[in-house]
Amino acid sequence: MVNIPSRSKLGKYWNLRESTVFLNHGSFGACPKEILAYQRQLRDQLEADPINFLDVKAKELWAESIEIFSEFINADKNGLVFVPNATSGVNTILRSLDLRHSDEILVLDHAYQACWNAVDYVTKKSGAKTTVVTLPFPITSPEEIIESILNSVTKNTKLALIDTVTSPTGIRLPFEIIVKELQSRGVDVLLDAAHGPGIVPLNLNKLQAAYVTGNAHKWLCTPKGSAFLHIREDRRALIRPLSISHGASVDGNINEKIRLEFDWTGTQDPTPWLCIPKSIEFVGSLSDKGWEGIMNHNTNLAISARNTILEILQTPKLCPDSMIVGLSAVLLPNSNVPLTSALEADPFHTLLYEKYNIQVPVFAWPHHNRRYLRTASFLYNSLEEYQYLAEVLEKEI
Ligand SMILES: Cc1ncc(COP(=O)(O)O)c(C=O)c1O
């Protein structure tokens, strides 16, 4: 068996299997042992007295979590609610909107397919239209992205689904400018910040996007099933949760209704959301420069990872280094492997995993008719892991 490179010295804080080269923080994150232990404590408290925990204790911790998280992303806590994942956040907005025949929703040709599907679902149902913005590719500057998006706006454009960091291609979009430009043209933005908190600095009060959803379970490393949705004040009356529950029949002003309706959508385990403050604090303490230090570290590692891999692959850079954060995708050279559907594992992914113990996403992106390999970089990764991947690529491509 090949020699598996070691993780960084911070790897000891995670449960990741030692024999796996884990280069896919991007899909589901990875939760440190300390946070999992805290979650277990909370679950033990829940099961010791489910009624008291869910009716009293969880509510206190929930309010604290909303408070601390809203400070982390500088958001108005009255518009901040928890959802299980970014897919639910996107669906919540789309399925609350009253679309007309003439309305158009913009999506980028780098949008996460599940969210794009949700846009198609609502436009199809209402007779509205999905407009796909084809971004120039490879990207040479943030300006050309902004220009292609703005060129696709018509008088009917009602909403745009914009990513903070694109999923298939790992590109940090100039979302702050895109939001400002679109909204000044009367187009609401639904910001898909699935790769948001912990990978890019977020300042929702400054951004003023109509809607922002994102995950804590990716780059904040909380347990899975921990995400948020933020609704700007002037849009709060329009938006209802995906599950209509008890809160619907309780009176209150708009901010009370948001809490009543979104904070209880039926019985579920609230502990992933309750761990957010602990994750912000614990993971943040792993760099002496806090979260800013973590984001910078991951960005630098992602750029080095990309350079190391491209030296072997010799395919063009998909974007400038300045548009890389913790993710970096590379184009795979032509191969005889057929394009697979989103739900099937790419055979090359399987080969890397089974033969070399490398867990890294390899997938076809039919909208570009290309195949990408996307590495993620988090505190526990080491440069040697990408060098090992590059050596394997040299042998197998
Ligand atoms: C850009 C983007 N949006 C949405 C999602 C969906 O996240 P979740 O599965 O947590 O709903 C992802 C997941 O990778 C993503 O990358």
Side-chain angles (χ1 to χ4, degrees):
M1 189 58 224
V2 277
N3 279 338
I4 298 291
S6 304
R7 295 202 173 92
S8 78
K9 62 183 191 329
L10 295 179
K12 65 180 183 214
Y13 293 112
W14 274 264
N15 268 335
L16 293 162
R17 193 185 296 127
E18 276 198 14
S19 57
T20 302
V21 177
F22 190 74
L23 304 180
N24 189 6
H25 192 84
S27 283
F28 308 121
C31 188
K33 294 175 195 173
E34 176 119 356
I35 312 298
L36 291 171
Y38 178 65
Q39 184 186 31
R40 265 192 301 277
Q41 272 176 31
L42 292 175
R43 282 180 163 159
D44 287 347
Q45 288 176 32
L46 191 165
E47 293 305 338
D49 187 344
I51 310 301
N52 184 262
F53 189 86
L54 290 174
D55 281 353
V56 183
K57 180 79 180 162
K59 285 184 178 161
E60 290 164 13
L61 293 173
W62 188 282
E64 193 182 307
S65 202
I66 288 279
E67 181 89 35
I68 290 173
F69 188 53
S70 61
E71 279 167 23
F72 188 75
I73 57 172
N74 193 24
D76 170 10
K77 69 176 180 184
N78 293 319
L80 185 69
V81 296
F82 290 141
V83 289
N85 47 56
T87 308
S88 305
V90 165
N91 272 276
T92 302
I93 301 304
L94 292 170
R95 297 173 80 171
S96 291
L97 296 179
D98 221 350
L99 292 177
R100 286 176 307 189
H101 261 80
S102 54
D103 290 335
E104 294 175 15
I105 300 186
L106 292 189
V107 294
L108 310 181
D109 67 340
H110 296 234
Y112 187 67
Q113 190 66 55
C115 299
W116 183 340
N117 291 347
V119 170
D120 283 343
Y121 174 79
V122 294
T123 53
K124 204 165 175 189
K125 206 165 167 195
S126 58
K129 181 178 160 199
T130 305
T131 301
V132 180
V133 182
T134 305
L135 299 180
F137 206 58
I139 286 161
T140 56
S141 73
E143 289 72 30
E144 60 184 19
I145 296 184
I146 299 164
E147 199 181 307
S148 8
I149 294 173
L150 296 182
N151 283 342
S152 308
V153 172
T154 71
K155 65 177 186 348
N156 294 326
T157 312
K158 175 156 181 147
L159 184 83
L161 177 68
I162 302 293
D163 309 278
T164 42
V165 184
T166 60
S167 169
T169 45
I171 296 171
R172 195 266 195 227
L173 296 183
F175 63 88
E176 296 92 338
I177 305 175
I178 300 171
V179 169
K180 186 162 168 255
E181 293 295 333
L182 282 172
Q183 294 196 157
S184 71
R185 287 162 175 78
V187 178
D188 275 358
V189 171
L190 165 50
L191 189 68
D192 179 351
H195 300 280
I199 184 171
V200 287
L202 285 175
N203 183 341
L204 268 54
N205 280 327
K206 187 159 175 222
L207 195 64
Q208 286 296 313
Y211 314 106
V212 183
T213 187
N215 288 323
H217 52 231
K218 287 188 194 279
W219 299 89
L220 288 186
C221 304
T222 61
K224 317 288 177 261
S226 166
F228 73 97
L229 173 64
H230 185 267
I231 310 163
R232 203 177 58 205
E233 192 171 7
D234 59 339
R235 295 292 185 265
R236 280 176 208 160
L238 297 176
I239 307 301
R240 308 289 299 277
L242 286 175
S243 290
I244 298 299
S245 182
H246 289 298
S249 54
V250 182
D251 290 333
N253 66 32
I254 185 60
N255 289 335
E256 289 163 342
K257 282 296 278 186
I258 287 266
R259 292 263 75 87
L260 286 163
E261 289 222 65
F262 279 91
D263 290 0
W264 187 265
T265 52
T267 308
Q268 59 190 329
D269 178 358
T271 58
W273 297 293
L274 305 185
C275 289
I276 291 175
K278 181 89 180 159
S279 270
I280 291 176
E281 184 206 316
F282 174 74
V283 183
S285 75
L286 297 180
S287 161
D288 52 12
K289 297 201 180 69
W291 277 97
E292 193 188 338
I294 292 172
M295 289 189 260
N296 287 338
H297 169 90
N298 295 340
T299 296
N300 291 334
L301 188 57
I303 294 170
S304 304
R306 177 166 90 154
N307 292 341
T308 307
I309 294 164
L310 286 184
E311 236 170 73
I312 300 300
L313 293 185
Q314 296 290 319
T315 51
K317 281 189 177 179
L318 303 181
C319 68
D321 285 1
S322 58
M323 299 179 78
I324 294 283
V325 278
L327 289 176
S328 103
V330 294
L331 180 59
L332 288 178
N334 285 339
S335 66
N336 293 327
V337 182
L339 297 183
T340 48
S341 90
L343 298 177
E344 274 172 69
D346 187 289
F348 194 56
H349 163 267
T350 309
L351 179 130
L352 292 176
Y353 186 61
E354 290 184 351
K355 190 164 167 194
Y356 297 100
N357 289 6
I358 301 174
Q359 185 61 271
V360 69
V362 178
F363 51 91
W365 188 245
H367 308 292
H368 294 170
N369 198 23
R370 285 171 166 159
R371 284 167 69 241
Y372 295 117
L373 176 148
R374 188 192 74 186
T375 56
S377 301
F378 206 75
L379 291 176
Y380 51 77
N381 290 119
S382 67
L383 188 56
E384 290 73 27
E385 292 179 297
Y386 308 97
Q387 287 163 344
Y388 169 68
L389 169 63
E391 281 163 30
V392 168
L393 291 174
E394 190 165 25
K395 255 192 261 173
E396 295 287 349
I397 286 280

